[in-house]
Amino acid sequence: MNSRRKFLQKVGLSAVALQLASVKTWANGNAAPHDVYDGPVLRVAIMGLGGYGTRVAGAMQYCTKAKLVGAISGTPKKLTNWQDSFAIPAKNCYNYQTFDEVKNNPDIDAIYITTPNALHHDQALRIAKAGKHVICEKPMALNAKQGQEMVDACNKAGVKLLVGYRMHFEPKTLEVIRMRKAGDFGKIRFFQGLCGFNIGDPKQWRLNKELAGGGSLMDIGIYAINGARYMVGEDPIWVTAQETKTDPIRFKEGVDETIQFQFGFPSGAVASCLSTYTMNNLDKFFLDGDRGWAEMLPSTGYGPIKGRTHKGELTQPVTTHQTVQMDEFSEIILNGKQPIVPVDGNEAVRDLKIIDAIYLAVKTGKKVELKLV
């Protein structure tokens, strides 16, 4: 613990200030000094202490408005390690059978679910019943029905439901959105979203339909789906889709390897997207309009995000996405801040409706009409 604290204390103040500066200031390209924060702090427990949960925990060490105070896991050794690594009190640690008891713990405000997709729904309902705010990784659930039940449960309990849409706070992404809103690209005509990588361990939960709910679409494909919506600035009204499977042994029934999908929007704009588990070097967004264009490559990875438009390179600072996200979540939950792009459960349900429609289009070979609201 002492060595970790010393390391954090030695981090340059200018770097910390840059990372935690106002997201809106970044999006406008004018960085400003970061004032010392003296407001309420969101106290968070992380549920699911795997790779991504650990990444969030590390990033939260640099937060000023959110603090990691608890952990939930089915592995006792992980809980012990997290107590040592992140100074988490033993009284704030739970397993999957006991975490309902968090309702009696006033030191935890919110729980961040980073477990496999199939577990999100039931865990979110239990957290809401315990009276704690819910933060959930994406996709929020296995389908829109489950997602709506999560929204309803949180509304009934009077708690917030937020989803880990970290790109909604990323400075270069926000600059493209600002430019689109300002009319810099003119009428939007086309969006392309390519998301994929060559997945590794065949025994991992992402290739288990019971835990993942699908394959590449339920993992990396969510970025192209959500990205199409915030880049174009509209919700699609129809979808078509095609699946390609070259390795049925590795990608068993119900686990998609590669899916191409197309959207149509009310304005007449169209989108062409792809999610895959068998191709590397696919992390690209392209937006085309009558008067200009924007390209992001990489577009959604952990960083650094890079981009350019018809006006030149995007120069907004590189950030640690999870640090900024958690500070922004604190503002939303504790201060009622409205983000530039929504990150709530209703936003996630719209994505889940699109996922449902993509799978239906693959199955039927037909165009599927969409009504997201």
Side-chain angles (χ1 to χ4, degrees):
M1 276 303 302
N2 288 335
S3 62
R4 184 178 67 84
R5 286 175 179 162
K6 289 179 181 178
F7 170 76
L8 294 178
Q9 291 169 355
K10 290 180 180 178
V11 173
L13 293 179
S14 60
V16 174
L18 181 65
Q19 178 170 303
L20 299 175
S22 164
V23 170
K24 287 188 177 180
T25 299
W26 277 332
N28 291 326
N30 298 310
H34 179 69
D35 296 329
V36 175
Y37 180 71
D38 186 26
V41 173
L42 183 70
R43 299 165 299 174
V44 179
I46 293 179
M47 175 183 287
L49 312 186
Y52 193 72
T54 301
R55 180 181 289 273
V56 173
M60 286 190 69
Q61 305 311 297
Y62 298 94
C63 287
T64 59
K65 302 175 184 179
K67 181 180 180 181
L68 175 63
V69 300
I72 302 169
S73 175
T75 306
K77 180 63 175 177
K78 287 184 179 180
L79 289 172
T80 301
N81 290 341
W82 275 48
Q83 289 175 35
D84 294 339
S85 299
F86 300 110
I88 296 174
K91 68 182 183 65
N92 290 352
C93 292
Y94 303 87
N95 60 41
Y96 295 133
Q97 288 71 46
T98 64
F99 75 82
D100 304 273
E101 297 172 11
V102 74
K103 67 182 178 182
N104 300 316
N105 190 335
D107 296 333
I108 296 175
D109 302 314
I111 298 178
Y112 193 159
I113 302 171
T114 64
T115 55
N117 303 338
L119 306 181
H120 295 176
H121 172 265
D122 289 346
Q123 290 171 343
L125 267 53
R126 290 171 64 184
I127 294 168
K129 188 175 181 180
K132 303 299 181 180
H133 300 294
V134 180
I135 302 171
C136 187
E137 255 315 297
K138 56 194 179 299
M140 187 175 74
L142 296 185
N143 52 58
K145 180 178 181 295
Q146 282 192 352
Q148 189 60 54
E149 289 172 355
M150 293 164 69
V151 170
D152 293 343
C154 289
N155 287 339
K156 181 179 179 180
V159 299
K160 296 283 188 181
L161 171 57
L162 303 181
V163 182
Y165 289 113
R166 57 188 170 81
M167 302 313 298
H168 292 197
F169 307 108
E170 196 282 316
K172 292 181 177 67
T173 300
L174 291 178
E175 174 61 9
V176 172
I177 292 171
R178 185 199 67 78
M179 291 178 67
R180 188 252 301 155
K181 289 181 176 179
D184 289 359
F185 306 125
K187 182 178 176 61
I188 301 301
R189 298 291 188 180
F190 175 71
F191 171 79
Q192 181 186 50
L194 306 178
C195 300
F197 61 93
N198 198 337
I199 198 165
D201 182 8
K203 296 181 180 179
Q204 64 179 282
W205 69 263
R206 289 176 179 82
L207 297 178
N208 181 336
K209 186 179 186 301
E210 297 304 314
L211 289 175
S216 67
L217 187 68
M218 292 294 289
D219 180 17
I220 196 71
I222 188 70
Y223 289 99
I225 292 168
N226 192 252
R229 295 175 55 222
Y230 64 66
M231 294 286 276
V232 174
E234 299 180 81
D235 283 338
I237 56 176
W238 59 258
V239 59
T240 53
Q242 308 81 37
E243 180 180 3
T244 301
K245 184 172 292 191
T246 64
D247 188 348
I249 296 176
R250 191 179 185 194
F251 303 99
K252 296 179 173 57
E253 181 68 26
V255 178
D256 46 281
E257 175 186 333
T258 299
I259 292 185
Q260 299 176 74
F261 50 98
Q262 303 80 38
F263 297 147
F265 297 89
S267 65
V270 293
S272 177
C273 303
L274 179 146
S275 70
T276 184
Y277 270 160
T278 55
M279 305 177 206
N280 285 325
N281 309 309
L282 289 179
D283 185 7
K284 176 184 176 181
F285 284 177
F286 180 76
L287 185 69
D288 192 39
D290 286 342
R291 294 204 297 268
W293 54 270
E295 180 185 67
M296 306 191 74
L297 177 66
S299 59
T300 64
Y302 294 142
I305 301 300
K306 296 181 180 180
R308 60 191 180 119
T309 74
H310 61 288
K311 293 186 175 183
E313 294 290 324
L314 295 173
T315 59
Q316 286 69 29
V318 173
T319 66
T320 300
H321 301 168
Q322 295 80 7
T323 304
V324 177
Q325 172 189 281
M326 296 310 295
D327 272 344
E328 289 293 310
F329 280 0
S330 176
E331 288 275 17
I332 293 167
I333 290 174
L334 300 181
N335 298 324
K337 181 177 181 179
Q338 295 299 311
I340 295 171
V341 184
V343 291
D344 58 20
N346 292 320
E347 174 80 354
V349 169
R350 292 186 178 97
D351 283 342
L352 290 168
K353 287 181 178 178
I354 295 172
I355 288 175
D356 289 348
I358 290 172
Y359 281 131
L360 180 60
V362 167
K363 182 179 179 180
T364 63
K366 297 179 180 179
K367 178 188 288 188
V368 177
E369 303 295 327
L370 286 168
K371 186 175 182 180
L372 302 187
V373 180

